[in-house]
Amino acid sequence: MEGLVLLQNLWAATLESLYMVGVSTLFTILLGLPLGLVLVATRRGNILAAPGFNQLLGSVVNVGRSLPFIILLVALIPLTRLVVGTSIGSTAALVPLTIAAIPFFARIAETALLEVDRGLVEAAQAMGCDYWQIILKVLIPEALPSLVLGITITVISLLNYSAMAGAVGGGGLGDLAIRYGYQRFQTEVMLATVLVLIVLVQLVQVLGEFIAKQLRRR
């Protein structure tokens, strides 16, 4: 592949990867954070204690986390077609990416929320705060730096997943690497896509750590 064409294809594939990761991260946070909150709230001794339900929900989350992404990607093809009308392309990849990341982020969110000093929650309860006030004014603000670091880990994982989605026509950098770098033996394409992925991971990690650091100083 000639230099200019390579740059054009690389740019287009990078935008597709960023689209897949950005949208799936948004849905992952919207669905995974409430799931993490439920896991914390229903633990024994917490504000909505329901140990049986907590164990059941935890088992479901663990099952979701234990499925290899490439298997999930193929198994969800019928659901992907039902939701977005196709199983090929960047938009189609959003469905398996989001479903794979939700249980992963839920556990990260649960861990971050459990780090919040229990004395703060008890103090809020003593002052008459209800469930939602404790969540919105105590748990989430106090856990925010850890949640940001958790989102950083999730975004990097989604970058890896999105590259894997290229194996079944998911678009993005993975698709470019497989079609040109692997199937057509164009080593420069493979190296370029790997380099872009490394740069993206570094940028996400640095940005996430910077934001978390600023939040801890507040």
Side-chain angles (χ1 to χ4, degrees):
M1 189 182 293
E2 295 181 2
L4 182 59
V5 177
L6 170 60
L7 286 176
Q8 289 175 338
N9 288 340
L10 200 58
W11 176 247
T14 302
L15 291 180
E16 284 183 0
S17 290
L18 291 176
Y19 162 68
M20 287 188 286
V21 172
V23 175
S24 57
T25 298
L26 176 63
F27 282 108
T28 297
I29 295 171
L30 290 176
L31 298 172
L33 182 57
L35 185 56
L37 282 165
V38 172
L39 285 168
V40 172
T42 56
R43 288 171 72 96
R44 190 183 300 276
N46 281 354
I47 45 182
L48 293 178
F53 174 77
N54 182 273
Q55 284 188 347
L56 177 63
L57 186 61
S59 299
V60 173
V61 169
N62 288 340
V63 169
R65 291 178 62 203
S66 61
L67 294 174
F69 179 67
I70 193 68
I71 294 176
L72 191 68
L73 193 63
V74 175
L76 289 177
I77 285 177
L79 177 64
T80 302
R81 284 184 181 145
L82 183 66
V83 175
V84 298
T86 177
S87 61
I88 303 296
S90 304
T91 300
L94 295 175
V95 176
L97 284 172
T98 303
I99 291 177
I102 286 174
F104 178 78
F105 180 67
R107 281 299 188 195
I108 290 179
E110 180 192 20
T111 303
L113 293 165
L114 287 173
E115 290 177 355
V116 176
D117 187 352
R118 184 158 177 79
L120 292 174
V121 176
E122 292 173 351
Q125 287 177 307
M127 288 188 288
C129 292
D130 59 25
Y131 174 65
W132 289 110
Q133 288 173 322
I134 291 172
I135 288 176
L136 297 176
K137 295 183 178 179
V138 179
L139 285 177
I140 292 180
E142 290 295 324
L144 201 51
S146 297
L147 286 173
V148 169
L149 291 176
I151 291 170
T152 303
I153 295 171
T154 305
V155 171
I156 292 173
S157 297
L158 282 170
L159 266 173
N160 293 329
Y161 289 166
S162 70
M164 210 180 301
V168 292
L173 291 165
D175 181 55
L176 183 68
I178 290 170
R179 281 194 296 120
Y180 290 91
Y182 178 68
Q183 295 177 344
R184 301 183 188 182
F185 303 105
Q186 295 183 4
T187 308
E188 72 277 10
V189 178
M190 182 70 79
L191 292 175
T193 53
V194 171
L195 181 62
V196 171
L197 283 170
I198 291 173
V199 171
L200 289 176
V201 168
Q202 292 293 331
L203 288 175
V204 170
Q205 186 66 45
V206 170
L207 181 62
E209 289 180 357
F210 174 77
I211 295 174
K213 190 175 180 180
Q214 296 302 313
L215 288 170
R216 284 200 172 99
R217 287 179 176 173
R218 292 173 62 185

